[in-house]
Amino acid sequence: MAWFKRVKKPIESPAPVEERRVRTEGLWIKCEACRAIIWKKDLESNWNVCPKCDHHFRLDAKRRLDLLLDNGEWAEHDTALFSSDPLEFVDTKPYKKRLKDAQEKLGMSDAILTAEGRLGGRPVICCSMEFSFIGGSMGAVVGEKVTRAIEMSTSRRLPLVIVSCSGGARMMEGAVSLMQLAKVSAALARLDEALIPFISVLTDPTTGGVTASYAMLGDLNIAEPGALIGFAGPRVIEQTIRQKLPEGFQRAEFLLEHGFLDAVVHRKDLKGYIASAFDFFLSQHEL
Ligand SMILES: [Zn+2]
């Protein structure tokens, strides 16, 4: 046999890639701020705050209520409100389909949960927005649920907390979504007249029509560290005023420094902060 002919059997091909790889996919996450690789469970048990650098990741609406309300116990209100798609809107896909997909994926009727529970032992009404539901946008259902929550606060004299996380008004409902700004603001004015305290918590991101209505109408407006808060996006503003915007523009810390917010509060301190703020408010006016 010629010397250059391969006599031995070829090396056996190794096991397919999928078999060799240990299943780690989805268990780890890279922190977008400090680039540390964090075990997802560590992140979750820390209420989605990076254990290395304190970067605040987004928290979903249900976990937010668990964080704020005693023993994670709360009763949801108005679960049966669904958008009727008043404009029969279609963009890259029909709005009806978009709604159905989000409802099935998240098990929510729309982008907000309104609930009642106890915060530091005190009964409260608490609303929590869900960004994963069409960008946390406010259409007729979000507007109506918030309004009903405010009205319940007013009639039962319960303090109110609204946690915002939203891209703004919902384009697919056009003017109907913009009308919510006025409706919610009017309900908040009545809450104010009744001397019931309302604390607005702005989380990353809170923009557009939500900033322009209830998110900025709290007796206290407080934000989480690093949250993006604004009305129009930076590019639109730069083009309008023809000036370069300063560093950190539209971040919570910048807004606090310029008087648009009352405090920036770390997520782990949020519940305690709200509880003592209610103590303060309610000691001023006997409810
Ligand atoms: Zn980090």
Side-chain angles (χ1 to χ4, degrees):
M1 191 180 285
W3 63 271
F4 49 83
K5 278 240 171 103
R6 190 187 282 272
V7 182
K8 285 187 194 159
K9 273 202 231 162
I11 300 165
E12 278 186 21
S13 64
V17 179
E18 303 87 70
E19 281 177 34
R20 275 185 295 152
R21 192 179 292 152
V22 182
R23 288 192 161 269
T24 54
E25 209 177 311
L27 289 178
W28 301 87
I29 192 166
K30 190 179 200 173
C31 173
E32 52 208 66
C34 71
R35 307 192 146 266
I37 307 290
I38 322 160
W39 198 32
K40 248 187 184 169
K41 283 221 166 115
D42 282 347
L43 185 67
E44 279 163 18
S45 63
N46 202 32
W47 296 103
N48 282 17
V49 176
C50 173
K52 302 260 164 40
C53 75
D54 269 355
H55 174 71
H56 285 48
F57 287 76
R58 209 165 282 151
L59 194 64
D60 68 61
K62 289 190 176 103
R63 292 250 299 152
R64 175 69 66 178
L65 292 176
D66 291 344
L67 169 75
L68 292 179
L69 299 174
D70 297 356
N71 309 317
E73 286 169 9
W74 39 274
E76 199 187 336
H77 293 159
D78 299 310
T79 51
L81 290 181
F82 293 91
S83 172
S84 61
D85 185 13
L87 305 181
E88 299 186 353
F89 193 86
V90 178
D91 47 62
T92 51
K93 57 176 164 178
Y95 174 44
K96 271 198 183 70
K97 169 99 173 68
R98 217 177 266 284
L99 278 169
K100 194 160 168 278
D101 291 348
Q103 284 157 355
E104 280 170 7
K105 190 172 143 219
L106 299 162
M108 297 170 67
S109 70
D110 214 295
I112 196 164
L113 295 175
T114 57
E116 93 180 82
R118 286 177 178 269
L119 193 156
R122 174 183 286 118
V124 296
I125 301 289
C126 188
C127 307
S128 173
M129 299 191 75
E130 176 56 62
F131 193 78
S132 309
F133 197 108
I134 317 185
S137 51
M138 173 171 64
V141 173
V142 170
E144 181 62 20
K145 283 179 88 166
V146 171
T147 305
R148 289 186 187 190
I150 299 166
E151 286 172 348
M152 183 167 286
S153 273
T154 315
S155 63
R156 292 176 52 199
R157 303 194 69 78
L158 299 176
L160 174 69
V161 181
I162 302 179
V163 183
S164 296
C165 186
S166 172
R170 188 171 294 171
M171 297 187 325
M172 301 84 163
E173 293 189 16
V176 176
S177 70
L178 293 179
M179 284 157 65
Q180 308 308 315
L181 277 73
K183 182 170 74 179
V184 170
S185 303
L188 281 174
R190 289 192 290 272
L191 183 77
D192 187 54
E193 279 161 20
L195 302 175
I196 316 283
F198 159 41
I199 294 179
S200 171
V201 181
L202 296 87
T203 70
D204 185 63
T206 298
T207 57
V210 170
T211 311
S213 60
Y214 53 86
M216 282 294 187
L217 290 175
D219 292 303
L220 282 180
N221 300 323
I222 60 179
E224 288 192 330
L228 173 78
I229 298 162
F231 179 62
R235 198 152 28 98
V236 175
I237 300 173
E238 278 183 351
Q239 282 167 2
T240 309
I241 65 171
R242 295 168 193 278
Q243 276 183 43
K244 193 94 192 109
L245 294 167
E247 184 72 24
F249 176 75
Q250 291 189 327
R251 291 286 162 191
E253 293 72 12
F254 186 94
L255 292 175
L256 176 67
E257 212 174 289
H258 291 80
F260 281 89
L261 289 173
D262 296 298
V264 174
V265 183
H266 192 290
R267 194 172 288 162
K268 70 173 159 44
D269 303 324
L270 201 53
K271 182 174 174 177
Y273 186 98
I274 296 172
S276 48
F278 281 151
D279 284 343
F280 171 78
F281 282 127
L282 299 176
S283 68
Q284 308 297 305
H285 298 286
E286 203 52 52
L287 278 185

